[in-house]
Amino acid sequence: MHERSTDELRHEIQNATDIEDYLDSNREHLLKESLSEHLHMLLSQKNLKRADVIRGSLLGRAYVYRIFAGDKIPSRDKLIALAFGLCLSEEETQKMLKLSGCRELYARDARDALLLFAMQRNMTIMDANQMLLEHGLAVLDTAKD
């Protein structure tokens, strides 16, 4: 089955006369898993341990465990920090941001562009934050909540 783009789905919604028909006919194209489920899948897929993610994200241990348990909904910055901790690609990061309901990284936004640049080059979160500082932009918020 051909994977429909977001634009194709948006067009279908626009032309739909009944939302139930749209949902039924596009069920396989809709996001299904929770953020917690997705993070566990990524952890397994990347063959990482939560300790690796904690070190690579600069987030607090308890906070990361709460996110993985589904008890905490992280901010966009903390999700991006997790992406660095999980060594996610740009595509994987965008999917995680979409799944969580956060705005994707946008190349026209200077801060997002620097983060995309860092991800595309497999930089660490510390390298990314250093670049952000050098350009007078806010570093990723990894403070404990």
Side-chain angles (χ1 to χ4, degrees), residues 62-134:
Y63 188 79
V64 170
Y65 274 79
R66 289 180 64 206
I67 295 169
F68 273 84
D71 296 336
K72 186 72 177 161
I73 299 169
S75 67
R76 183 174 184 262
D77 266 15
K78 288 184 173 58
L79 283 168
I80 295 168
L82 276 177
F84 278 100
L86 286 161
C87 304
L88 299 185
S89 68
E90 175 184 345
E91 183 178 286
E92 291 167 327
T93 301
Q94 300 291 38
K95 181 177 180 179
M96 182 178 66
L97 289 169
K98 274 192 274 190
L99 184 64
S100 68
C102 291
R103 180 175 61 86
E104 293 176 67
L105 291 167
Y106 185 52
R108 290 183 186 265
D109 177 285
R111 184 172 184 259
D112 285 1
L114 285 170
L115 291 168
L116 286 166
F117 181 88
M119 282 181 179
Q120 291 169 353
R121 285 153 185 79
N122 299 314
M123 293 179 172
T124 68
I125 191 172
M126 290 186 282
D127 295 332
N129 277 338
Q130 183 61 41
M131 255 193 342
L132 289 167
L133 277 174
E134 289 169 1

